[in-house]
Amino acid sequence: MRTEYDIIVVGGGHAGCEAAAAAANLGSSTLLISMDMSKFASMSCNPAVGGVAKGQIVREIDALGGQMGRITDLTTIQFRMLNRSKGAAMWSPRAQCDKAEFSAEWRRTLENTPNLYLWQDSVTELIFNDIEVGRKSVVGVRTQMGVEFRARAVVLTAGTFLEGVMHCGLNRAEGGRAGDAASHGVTASLVAMGFEVDRMKTGTPARLDARTINFEVIEPQYGDEEPSKFSFMPDTQAVSEQMPCYLVYTSTDVHDELRKGFDRSPMFTGVIQGRGPRYCPSIEDQLRTFTDKEQHQLFLEPEGRGTNEYYLNGFSSSLPFEVQVAALQKIKGLENVHIYRAGYAIEYDYFPPTQLHHTLETKLIDNLYFAGQINGTTGYEEAAAQGLMAGVNAHLKLAGEAPFVLRRDEAYIGVLIDDLVTKGVDEPYRMFTSRAEHRILLRQDNADLRLTQKSFEIGLATRKRMEICEQKKLHVESLISYLRRQSVTPSDLQDYLNSIDAAPLTQGRKLFDVILRNNVTIAGVAEHFPKLARFIAREEISAEEIEEAEIQIKYRGYIEREQYIAEKMRRLENIAIPDSFDYHSLQSLTIEARQKLTKIRPATIGQASRISGVSPADINVLLVYFGR
């Protein structure tokens, strides 16, 4: 039994699992410590992966060689591509998962990963060593069971467990989630080292017993007729048998029942001090914010194929148990509902992420990395992305190699981490497409084309993955080239254009120009133009590759413009600022800019330009000083 490792990962949630798997797959001997090994990557809230912007993150994780996309595919019970009616930059995959199978599949993955070891326990203290005057490095951890493990680097992914407290009405209990104890000692260990700490809050709804739901009177919501999947690898398949979700609605009667408990709400009485997520508010918060709305849409989501448990998305609450039940039973279809457990809110410690480098290593302590909700984020996908990057960078630093940092124009993961370390958070951070200024470049369909080569170069993406990515790129380029060469006459596509109410061709055209038209698709053209169909079959071009070629053709102008803008912005990213630079020596900077820049210590002028309180005039001062 060894007690010394290259890397220790603390916490077996989505961030911790990705961090441990990545570090071990890169070759570092890695120990993952979890309080409960039966709950790896537990879906503590809704049983789903992906969604708007989050789905893009999962595809990026997969393109880099992470595990979330593959495990989602293996446990999917419903798949939907959201925002299909909008432009391709907005398309976002989302999957309902079998909650128990998702966690079990993660355990199988971790137990069969070379270089990865598991330990069930709770970490109560981090161990530090002086490496020079005024500088410390983490060297290990101590656990509740009195075991001491040593490591050259530690990745801390504590989720909602640090000093966690759960609230339901006037009742409160310690815990990281229902049924699991809180983690004590780590916060104190970090505060003693000078870290700034704060509190955040999140919540979850009651879980319902399907046997007591009247599904005959509520509206089903089905998955896609032709479902896709997350992983770019052929090892997984799209779900074949899907389970429906259901739509239900609140009413004025429901709202009246909920308001009866407002005087006992820990949110409204000031018991809860932590900041909650603005974009995923509790039902009582929705009533207070949207006072004129007579109903709110809710989603009934199955938690698995072999369970009667349903999740009521949109009904997060910390109101007293009896108030929750009374309100739920006013909802059409839930008149006789039995609940498995009440909804509750949870408060927990987090560490403002401006205390991190872009590698997710802390600025105060060498070789200590933070990932997940400890950084003030919310969501499985955001946590998994941070865990992957923290695990990769911990390994690379120990190996003496250059850090792996993604730019904002390269990945949603780059946007996520840059937002955290540059802007900080004042509420639980959730990714949206609107946060990415280059979202036309950062589509879910091209995550592999953007990122797999980069991951292969550092050793995480396998050669097989790289070959599949190169084949996709070759097929897409070959198809686009063929469409540029091949001409059609007006009669060739007359029936097809009539069928989609499109104007007929007045003269011969290249297929490329025809595809540029609205509602015209490559697949539709191939059905009426045998030459194209034969080319696609001969080259063995997949449906995914056809879609990629079509997106590149239709959005070519937008993509080229976005690339031009990204290149201009990249010039600022190439102007580095020494970490030890004294901003107070530049009197031309505003006082606020000097204070913000000193606190955050941006690595480049590009990063400095995104700090709140640093004006364009301040950036010009820095440009003049460091040389344009």
Side-chain angles (χ1 to χ4, degrees), residues 84-316:
R84 269 288 192 182
S85 62
K86 300 180 180 180
M90 302 295 289
W91 297 354
S92 302
R94 184 180 189 271
Q96 295 292 140
C97 294
D98 187 306
K99 179 177 180 177
E101 276 302 305
F102 186 89
S103 186
E105 189 60 44
W106 254 114
R107 178 162 182 166
R108 283 190 285 270
T109 297
L110 296 170
E111 287 186 343
N112 290 283
T113 299
N115 305 314
L116 180 55
Y117 301 82
L118 307 176
W119 178 260
Q120 181 167 299
D121 206 341
S122 177
V123 170
T124 57
E125 184 182 356
L126 301 177
I127 306 170
F128 307 100
N129 265 3
D130 292 320
I131 54 176
E132 59 183 65
V133 176
R135 192 81 189 160
K136 289 185 178 292
S137 176
V138 67
V139 294
V141 301
R142 291 191 182 93
T143 75
Q144 192 174 52
M145 300 299 290
V147 182
E148 184 175 299
F149 292 102
R150 292 276 171 161
R152 298 161 62 201
V154 172
V155 182
L156 190 55
T157 67
T160 60
F161 285 80
L162 295 183
E163 308 299 330
V165 177
M166 298 177 292
H167 300 267
C168 183
L170 300 178
N171 299 300
R172 52 178 286 165
E174 287 189 355
R177 61 174 166 239
D180 292 304
S183 172
H184 301 294
V186 172
T187 294
S189 185
L190 292 170
V191 169
M193 291 294 106
F195 282 94
E196 177 188 350
V197 65
D198 210 335
R199 298 284 278 177
M200 275 197 178
K201 167 260 175 188
T202 188
T204 192
R207 304 304 199 271
L208 314 184
D209 184 343
R211 297 171 298 177
T212 61
I213 298 172
N214 184 0
F215 290 101
E216 298 297 323
V217 299
I218 59 179
E219 178 185 348
Q221 185 181 55
Y222 298 104
D224 291 348
E225 288 187 9
E226 297 182 9
S228 185
K229 64 191 188 83
F230 277 99
S231 181
F232 291 99
M233 298 293 282
D235 305 348
T236 61
Q237 302 297 322
V239 59
S240 56
E241 296 182 20
Q242 301 191 67
M243 294 182 67
C245 296
Y246 296 87
L247 298 176
V248 294
Y249 300 87
T250 64
S251 64
T252 53
D253 288 342
V254 176
H255 300 171
D256 289 342
E257 290 293 339
L258 290 168
R259 290 190 179 97
K260 291 178 182 178
F262 277 14
D263 61 332
R264 289 166 287 159
S265 165
M267 285 183 56
F268 298 159
T269 58
V271 173
I272 293 178
Q273 298 295 319
R275 292 182 288 274
R278 181 188 314 178
Y279 302 105
C280 189
S282 65
I283 188 66
E284 54 263 38
D285 227 3
Q286 293 180 55
L287 297 190
R288 185 173 64 173
T289 304
F290 306 104
T291 55
D292 58 329
K293 290 200 69 171
E294 295 185 355
Q295 69 173 24
H296 293 276
Q297 187 180 63
L298 308 173
F299 298 87
L300 265 174
E301 302 175 349
E303 297 226 332
R305 296 191 187 276
T307 178
N308 289 319
E309 191 171 356
Y310 269 70
Y311 177 93
L312 188 56
N313 199 336
F315 205 83
S316 171

Side-chain angles (χ1 to χ4, degrees), residues 232-234 448-449 452-453 463-479 538-542 544-546 548-549 552:
F232 291 99
M233 298 293 282
D448 53 343
L449 301 180
T452 298
Q453 175 72 45
R463 179 165 293 279
K464 179 182 177 183
R465 181 180 289 276
M466 190 65 239
E467 289 172 353
I468 290 171
C469 180
E470 288 174 340
Q471 183 184 59
K472 175 181 175 179
K473 183 178 180 182
L474 184 65
H475 281 175
V476 170
E477 291 173 348
S478 175
L479 179 55
R538 184 174 69 249
E539 298 296 318
E540 298 181 334
I541 300 174
S542 69
E544 181 179 324
E545 291 162 347
I546 292 171
E548 177 63 32
Q552 290 189 20

